[in-house]
Amino acid sequence: MENLVGTTAGSGYGIHLAKAYNIQIVNNIINNASRHAIYQGRGENVNVLIEGNTIVNHRKDVFDGSPRMAISCARSSDVTISNNKFKDCYDGQIEIAQDKVSSASASNILIIGNTFTKRKNNTPAVWIGEQLVPTTA
């Protein structure tokens, strides 16, 4: 897959899952996704495997400093993200996120054996948890 355009919700994704169970996303090549190359969006005990994918030039045409990670695993549990390759990517590569508004957590997520080469900015390669500035003391 390549040149997946659009930065608003619902566009610019490579592979988008929500409440999908027992899925394997394996050995894909995703080049220049504008939003998320792979998005695991919601579900408990989903048993999702994201493995051996190659993600290249993530957000190269839309880099604007508003991070949208290449692989996002949000509000999900029991997901494995392993042995993926990231090259020439902007805006971070892997995100594990909860949703405090809906009280949906992320748990039992395994990140192992992924490689990151030629990162294009100083955004962390792996984000875990809320990435906001605290508003209370």
Side-chain angles (χ1 to χ4, degrees):
M1 290 177 263
E2 66 181 324
N3 299 324
L4 305 155
V5 298
T7 57
T8 59
S11 63
Y13 293 87
I15 299 169
H16 185 290
L17 302 174
K19 295 187 179 179
Y21 297 86
N22 302 314
I23 301 293
Q24 294 184 357
I25 302 170
V26 179
N27 298 327
N28 297 283
I29 299 171
I30 303 172
N31 182 13
N32 193 26
S34 295
R35 191 156 169 100
H36 299 292
I38 300 171
Y39 182 76
Q40 165 55 46
R42 181 178 297 272
E44 293 183 29
N45 305 311
V46 293
N47 190 34
V48 169
L49 174 65
I50 301 169
E51 182 175 73
N53 299 286
T54 300
I55 299 172
V56 184
N57 296 314
H58 181 66
R59 288 183 57 85
K60 88 170 178 150
D61 292 335
V62 295
F63 168 69
D64 63 4
S66 60
R68 298 281 183 215
M69 278 32 96
I71 295 177
S72 181
C73 179
R75 305 172 306 271
S76 300
S77 66
D78 297 316
V79 177
T80 299
I81 302 169
S82 66
N83 301 309
N84 298 286
K85 296 176 184 173
F86 301 86
K87 183 179 176 189
D88 295 322
C89 296
Y90 290 90
D91 291 345
Q93 283 76 62
I94 298 174
E95 170 187 40
I96 308 303
Q98 62 187 9
D99 183 345
K100 284 192 159 191
V101 174
S102 69
S103 299
S105 66
S107 62
N108 298 326
I109 312 296
L110 175 63
I111 301 172
I112 186 168
N114 298 282
T115 58
F116 312 94
T117 57
K118 297 185 180 179
R119 291 175 49 221
K120 294 296 185 183
N121 58 5
N122 291 327
T123 303
V126 178
W127 295 53
I128 299 175
E130 191 173 9
Q131 302 298 318
L132 302 173
V133 176
T135 57
T136 60

